[in-house]
Amino acid sequence: MAVLALTGYAVFSGEESGSDTPAKGGASPSASGSASPEPMYSAPADWTEPERWTALPKGQRTDERGSAVGFPHTVEGAIAMMAAANTTRIEGERSGTAEQLRMYHSYFGKPDQTPENAKKIELSSRETDKSLAQEMGVEAGRPLPSGAYMRAHVIGYKVIKKSDDEVSAWVLARAVQKNGEMAKEESSYTRTLVAAQWQDGDWKLTTEATKRALQAPESQDKPAIVAPGDEEFNAAGWTAIRDAS
């Protein structure tokens, strides 16, 4: 299953992001600079109600790239931006490269928006697009087959550190992939460290905040990769995200 890297500092820094694969079936989780989940974790049949739920605030406006921006100056506002920055949809003519560049320009802080960083994200995303095209049996650069898609969205989070103008957290995301109309949908889960600063009236992902988060002792306590409804979800300290009406 090809996986588009979640937007984050490690995409262009080469440092560890804290992104892991589910450690089920005796597999060892591995940290990397991009989210590389495998369909190893399956949510249990029996539902255990999460102890912590949050309905995250929405962005106040949409920018020229179609991204929600303008989040509240609160911890929940920072988490909402992180969730938006790690939500992707690739299908039809919408490529992973276009999605990653959209998120990069919409959600990265201005000091981190350099031609070099944009090029690194573009090159990394193109490789993922090639892998995805190969899995789905189409030529690289061509639209995906009818009914094919890859989507990811954040389903939970655990705050690492917080202050008025800086928030870091582990985010739990679910990715799904379908290779065509008749193909079976596959799913996987990722855990990624994300950090943001309040800049120019909005929350932005920055290398400065991410470096501090990676160095914080609290970041070493990595929560288990478990979906809402799993009895281990509460023990891991995750907060589930409830869709706001």
Side-chain angles (χ1 to χ4, degrees):
M1 180 176 175
V3 177
L4 190 67
L6 295 182
T7 300
Y9 162 64
V11 173
F12 53 77
S13 74
E15 292 199 22
E16 178 180 326
S17 73
S19 208
D20 289 316
T21 60
K24 294 290 183 178
S28 299
S30 61
S32 66
S34 63
S36 303
E38 299 174 6
M40 298 164 60
Y41 172 82
S42 296
D46 296 331
W47 176 268
T48 300
E49 184 68 17
E51 295 173 354
R52 294 166 292 273
W53 285 94
T54 297
L56 296 176
K58 296 182 181 296
Q60 295 179 346
R61 62 187 185 279
T62 301
D63 69 9
E64 64 273 15
R65 297 175 182 86
S67 303
V69 295
F71 293 94
H73 193 181
T74 62
V75 173
E76 290 75 17
I79 299 296
M81 182 280 292
M82 295 174 187
N86 287 290
T87 297
T88 61
R89 181 174 62 85
I90 304 168
E91 55 188 298
E93 297 185 1
R94 183 192 293 265
S95 71
T97 300
E99 276 286 83
Q100 286 291 287
L101 289 175
R102 173 186 65 80
M103 292 186 290
Y104 170 71
H105 289 292
S106 293
Y107 298 119
F108 273 65
K110 291 299 182 185
D112 291 315
Q113 291 192 21
T114 66
E116 294 79 11
N117 288 340
K119 190 65 175 179
K120 288 180 181 179
I121 286 180
E122 182 176 2
L123 291 174
S124 175
S125 301
R126 282 182 177 177
E127 288 303 311
T128 302
D129 279 336
K130 289 179 182 178
S131 297
L132 189 61
Q134 184 177 17
E135 287 187 21
M136 296 187 175
V138 296
E139 183 181 347
R142 303 290 295 175
L144 296 184
S146 176
Y149 56 77
M150 185 168 72
R151 302 166 184 161
H153 69 285
V154 175
I155 58 176
Y157 68 92
K158 182 178 182 180
V159 172
I160 297 172
K161 298 190 72 174
K162 59 183 179 180
S163 66
D164 288 346
D165 295 329
E166 186 167 316
V167 176
S168 57
W170 291 106
V171 296
L172 176 68
R174 180 174 185 260
V176 295
Q177 180 175 319
K178 197 169 187 291
N179 291 351
E181 293 283 4
M182 305 303 294
K184 180 181 178 181
E185 182 181 84
E186 296 181 352
S187 66
S188 57
Y189 297 80
T190 60
R191 173 191 63 207
T192 306
L193 184 150
V194 188
Q197 289 178 289
W198 183 256
Q199 294 184 346
D200 301 322
D202 205 354
W203 290 105
K204 297 294 182 181
L205 303 173
T206 71
T207 58
E208 279 188 19
T210 306
K211 286 180 178 179
R212 282 191 285 270
L214 287 167
Q215 294 167 359
E218 296 89 343
S219 70
Q220 305 310 307
D221 183 18
K222 299 179 181 181
I225 302 177
V226 286
D230 191 313
E231 62 181 357
E232 296 180 27
F233 186 87
N234 294 324
W238 291 111
T239 295
I241 295 174
R242 190 190 305 276
D243 292 334
S245 57

